[in-house]
Amino acid sequence: MSEYMIETRDLTKKYGTQSSVSHLDIHVKKGRIYGLLGRNGAGKTTTMRMLLGLTAPTSGEVKIFGKPFAGNEKEILPRIGCLIESPGFYPNLTGTENLKIFADLRGLRSPKYIKSALELVNLPYRDKKLFSQYSLGMKQRLAIALAVMHNPELLILDEPINGLDPIGIAEVRDFIRELCDAMGKTILISSHILSEISLLADDVGIIDHGNLLEEESLKELEEKNAKYIHFCVSNAQKAAQVIASSFGSKNVQVSDGNNLYLYDTDLPVEKINRNFMEEGIGIREAHLCEDTLEDYFRRITGGEGIA
Ligand SMILES: Nc1ncnc2c1ncn2[C@@H]1O[C@H](COP(=O)(O)OP(=O)(O)OP(=O)(O)O)[C@@H](O)[C@H]1O
Ligand SMILES: [Mg+2]
């Protein structure tokens, strides 16, 4: 049995000549939250649609629960809960009535399925409010309730925090975490918001123009962030020469007349400061700094940041 709940190999989707998803190999481990991070148009929804058989891959393979998806759909799909397109809820029915329709379709007879799903997303059971009167956040919660109602092992959620206000986002984040930690679910979640993924995911796949650029644990990703010492001095050029001659390090970047970045963070700062003073270089500031995840994302995608 494979250790992965989802595994793709060389997964590719072309629309005409354009590759929306290109040779994607992703690995979603059991009992973890995997965040698929990418800008608008990166290929997140297309990937998820292929995982669920909603669109056929142009080439490549999908394995779910260790089995090829193709040919095993009937066994695999009931074990997955998904939020990928807005489900067709009826506007003139309440939330509970809407879930009841889906529960009947899935053969879930007991009302406890609906009750506990609504409880999880903080929506009232048997409330009188019609779906048409729901706020965007309530609609989104109901869609998540539908995804979890049949108690699936694996959840595939495409941008589940879309349209939510900050409090709603925090609540959804909390119950997604709970689904994983307390209920042992495996969750694949997509987002274009880096801070969201960094607050929620255990593992991260960064997708850009259909290509997977990185796949690793959030911890590894955070450790990759460059560390450096930032010196603000009276003469950065001369300071760089002092570092080169006194410590043999050329791992520096001079950004302008006053600012210098030293990437050999093990060098002794006090000694460097002393040498600067001896050479008549004034020091205004010296700080140990670290790139943010956003800096890292910008660096590897070679473009604009992602907030
Ligand atoms: N049915 C389709 N026909 C043609 N092109 C498509 C189709 N579906 C998606 N695409 C293209 O594939 C690319 C990836 O789209 P996709 O919706 O997967 O991105 P995304 O990462 O989900 O973006 P967003 O953050 O905006 O939801 C885009 O360039 C999109 O225009
Ligand atoms: Mg999308």
Side-chain angles (χ1 to χ4, degrees):
M1 193 44 200
S2 157
E3 64 170 308
Y4 303 118
M5 294 291 264
I6 301 177
E7 189 179 2
T8 68
R9 208 175 52 78
D10 233 6
L11 191 65
T12 299
K13 180 72 186 181
K14 285 188 180 169
Y15 288 108
T17 52
Q18 188 210 354
S19 286
S20 293
V21 171
S22 222
H23 309 289
L24 205 71
D25 294 345
I26 63 167
H27 307 84
V28 179
K29 291 182 193 143
K30 191 171 167 48
R32 292 171 73 91
I33 300 178
Y34 185 109
L36 193 60
L37 174 70
R39 294 195 184 89
N40 293 133
K44 305 180 294 293
T45 301
T46 307
T47 300
M48 289 181 158
R49 286 176 58 83
M50 286 193 280
L51 297 178
L52 290 159
L54 296 170
T55 193
T58 307
S59 56
E61 268 178 55
V62 173
K63 273 190 182 174
I64 298 191
F65 307 128
K67 290 186 177 168
F69 182 80
N72 294 301
E73 297 89 340
K74 282 207 174 117
E75 186 203 322
I76 290 171
L77 284 173
R79 296 167 63 190
I80 306 178
C82 69
L83 167 60
I84 198 145
E85 270 127 23
S86 38
F89 288 129
Y90 293 98
N92 53 342
L93 297 182
T94 66
T96 304
E97 287 164 349
N98 265 296
L99 289 191
K100 175 83 170 58
I101 291 177
F102 285 95
D104 288 346
L105 281 172
R106 289 179 186 162
L108 307 172
R109 310 237 177 273
S110 161
K112 78 164 199 268
Y113 288 104
I114 299 176
K115 238 186 207 164
S116 55
L118 287 171
E119 203 173 84
L120 187 81
V121 300
N122 283 328
L123 282 178
Y125 179 59
R126 287 205 168 143
D127 191 32
K128 295 270 174 293
K129 198 175 258 190
L130 301 179
F131 182 74
S132 59
Q133 299 161 335
Y134 270 23
S135 69
L136 193 61
M138 293 170 79
K139 288 179 179 167
Q140 195 70 352
R141 279 154 205 253
L142 192 67
I144 297 173
L146 175 62
V148 300
M149 186 170 63
H150 58 300
N151 198 19
E153 296 150 67
L154 173 65
L155 284 165
I156 297 182
L157 307 173
D158 192 15
E159 311 237 12
I161 59 160
N162 252 1
L164 300 178
D165 60 23
I167 293 173
I169 290 175
E171 276 180 19
V172 169
R173 193 192 301 135
D174 286 350
F175 70 67
I176 289 178
R177 192 73 255 173
E178 190 185 324
L179 279 164
C180 178
D181 293 349
M183 299 165 83
K185 313 263 183 231
T186 304
I187 301 169
L188 170 63
I189 178 174
S190 73
S191 183
H192 61 280
I193 304 172
L194 175 64
S195 56
E196 253 338 288
I197 293 291
S198 66
L199 284 172
L200 190 57
D202 301 309
D203 300 309
V204 181
I206 298 177
I207 182 171
D208 197 49
H209 293 104
N211 297 291
L212 192 72
L213 300 183
E214 296 271 344
E215 185 183 62
E216 58 214 325
S217 69
L218 185 70
K219 200 161 162 277
E220 284 166 327
L221 192 65
E222 284 172 344
E223 278 166 8
K224 273 195 180 170
N225 292 345
K227 287 194 178 65
Y228 54 91
I229 304 167
H230 173 206
F231 291 96
C232 184
V233 291
S234 59
N235 185 339
Q237 202 63 52
K238 194 169 169 191
Q241 286 163 9
V242 171
I243 290 174
S245 59
S246 310
F247 302 96
S249 173
K250 290 208 159 59
N251 205 358
V252 291
Q253 190 195 337
V254 175
S255 74
D256 58 27
N258 298 115
N259 290 293
L260 175 142
Y261 302 89
L262 169 63
Y263 291 91
D264 284 333
T265 51
D266 291 339
L267 294 182
V269 181
E270 277 177 36
K271 205 160 172 212
I272 296 173
N273 284 347
R274 216 177 311 134
N275 287 15
F276 283 175
M277 286 195 293
E278 282 166 14
E279 295 295 328
I281 301 167
I283 309 152
R284 280 175 221 150
E285 283 174 46
H287 294 294
L288 180 63
C289 306
E290 198 172 338
D291 266 3
T292 62
L293 270 184
E294 164 138 24
D295 297 327
Y296 181 72
F297 187 85
R298 204 187 296 259
R299 200 146 33 89
I300 66 162
T301 60
E304 289 164 22
I306 189 166

